[in-house]
C-alpha cells in the first residue's frame, strides 16, 4: 500500500489542504490513498517532490525514506561514498547543509561523477568537454557541410576531407583548431595529486 495518507497525516494536512498545495482535487487524493485509483508516474513524482521523499518510498515499494539505497543502486556509488562526499561538500562550503537531502545526494553524485566544478578532476573534465564542443562549433562555422551520407560509401567517408567555406579564412581556421586542440590535450594531461581525486 502507498504511503500518501501516512505522509499527509504526518504533515498535519487534510485532504483539502494537500489538494490545494499540489493542485489536485481532494476526492482524487482520497482515491489514491485508498488504492481505488492509481496515479500516473508524473503524479507520483509530483507528490514525492512535495513530501521530499523518493517516489519509490511514497509508492510503498521501498522502506528507505531518504532514498540512500536507491541512489546507491542507480549510481554505482556506495551509501558511504555518497555520505562522505556530502560531508566534504558541506565542509568546503560547496553545499548548504540545510538543503533537503535529495538535493544534497544529487549534488554529491554529480561531484563523484566529476560532472560538477566541486573537484579538481570535475573542473578538468568539464573544460575538456567544453573545448570539444567548441571545436565542433568552430568546424560548423568554418567547414562546408558534408553531403548526405546515405549515398556515400564507407570508403568515401573515410577519405572525406572537409573544405573551408569560401567566405572563411582557412589559415585562421587552422590556427583556431590547433590552439583549441592543444589546449584540450594540455588540460586533459594535467596530473592531479591523488589526495585531490574523488
Amino acid at each position: 500500500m502507498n504511503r500518501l495518507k501516512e505522509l499527509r497525516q504526518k504533515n498535519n494536512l487534510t485532504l483539502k489542504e494537500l489538494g490545494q498545495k499540489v493542485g489536485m482535487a481532494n476526492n482524487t487524493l482520497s482515491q489514491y490513498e485508498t488504492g481505488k485509483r492509481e496515479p500516473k508516474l508524473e503524479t507520483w513524482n509530483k507528490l514525492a517532490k512535495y513530501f521530499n521523499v523518493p517516489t519509490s518510498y511514497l509508492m510503498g515499494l521501498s522502506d528507505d525514506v531518504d532514498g540512500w539505497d536507491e541512489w546507491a543502486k542507480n549510481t554505482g556509488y556506495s551509501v558511504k561514498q555518497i555520505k562522505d562526499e556530502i560531508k566534504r561538500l558541506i565542509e568546503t562550503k560547496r553545499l548548504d547543509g540545510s538543503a533537503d537531502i535529495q538535493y544534497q545526494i544529487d549534488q554529491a553524485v554529480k561531484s563523484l561523477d566529476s560532472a560538477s566544478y566541486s573537484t579538481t578532476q570535475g573542473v578538468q573534465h568539464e573544460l575538456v568537454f567544453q573545448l570539444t564542443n567548441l571545436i565542433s562549433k568552430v568546424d560548423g562555422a568554418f567547414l562546408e557541410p558534408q553531403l548526405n551520407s546515405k549515398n556515400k560509401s564507407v570508403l568515401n567517408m573515410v577519405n572525406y576531407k572537409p573544405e573551408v567555406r569560401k567566405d572563411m579564412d582557412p589559415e585562421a581556421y587552422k590556427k583556431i583548431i590547433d590552439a583549441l586542440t592543444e589546449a584540450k590535450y594540455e588540460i586533459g594531461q594535467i596530473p592531479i595529486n591523488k589526495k585531490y581525486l574523488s
Side-chain angles (χ1 to χ4, degrees):
M1 187 60 130
N2 73 59
R3 293 186 170 92
L4 183 55
K5 184 175 183 178
E6 173 191 326
L7 288 167
R8 177 180 59 78
Q9 290 175 338
K10 183 178 174 185
N11 285 272
N12 298 315
L13 295 169
T14 65
L15 281 168
K16 184 177 181 181
E17 290 169 333
L18 178 59
Q20 289 171 340
K21 292 184 182 294
V22 296
M24 293 180 202
N26 58 335
N27 63 336
T28 302
L29 289 168
S30 175
Q31 290 175 339
Y32 292 162
E33 285 185 357
T34 59
K36 290 181 181 173
R37 189 170 170 190
E38 186 68 22
K40 292 181 179 175
L41 183 58
E42 63 251 19
T43 304
W44 280 122
N45 290 337
K46 181 179 184 179
L47 290 165
K49 185 172 183 176
Y50 174 78
F51 288 114
N52 193 30
V53 296
T55 303
S56 60
Y57 178 79
L58 177 62
M59 294 172 74
L61 302 174
S62 166
D63 294 328
D64 185 8
V65 69
D66 291 323
W68 290 106
D69 294 331
E70 196 169 327
W71 277 97
K73 178 183 166 193
N74 291 325
T75 64
Y77 299 112
S78 70
V79 171
K80 182 184 181 326
Q81 285 175 299
I82 297 170
K83 285 182 176 183
D84 287 349
E85 186 62 11
I86 289 172
K87 183 180 175 191
R88 186 189 74 78
L89 291 172
I90 291 170
E91 286 173 354
T92 58
K93 299 184 180 2
R94 288 185 167 88
L95 183 62
D96 180 0
S98 66
D100 75 71
I101 193 65
Q102 294 302 309
Y103 178 78
Q104 289 183 24
I105 294 170
D106 178 62
Q107 294 304 301
V109 167
K110 285 179 179 173
S111 179
L112 289 166
D113 283 343
S114 298
S116 73
Y117 285 104
S118 65
T119 63
T120 305
Q121 189 176 24
V123 171
Q124 184 181 36
H125 287 181
E126 184 62 21
L127 288 172
V128 168
F129 175 76
Q130 292 298 335
L131 284 166
T132 301
N133 285 340
L134 196 52
I135 290 168
S136 292
K137 287 180 180 184
V138 170
D139 282 344
F142 274 87
L143 300 179
E144 290 285 351
Q146 192 173 356
L147 297 174
N148 184 347
S149 60
K150 284 183 179 178
N151 299 328
K152 289 188 157 201
S153 71
V154 174
L155 183 60
N156 284 342
M157 291 182 75
V158 169
N159 293 327
Y160 171 72
K161 297 214 184 327
E163 292 183 27
V164 175
R165 296 174 190 262
K166 291 180 175 64
D167 61 341
M168 301 294 268
D169 182 348
E171 293 297 317
Y173 167 73
K174 183 178 179 343
K175 287 180 181 178
I176 292 169
I177 289 296
D178 287 349
L180 290 173
T181 303
E182 183 176 341
K184 177 181 157 183
Y185 174 79
E186 291 294 326
I187 290 169
Q189 296 301 308
I190 294 172
I192 300 171
N193 187 314
K194 286 184 182 180
K195 77 176 187 175
Y196 299 108
L197 292 173
S198 52

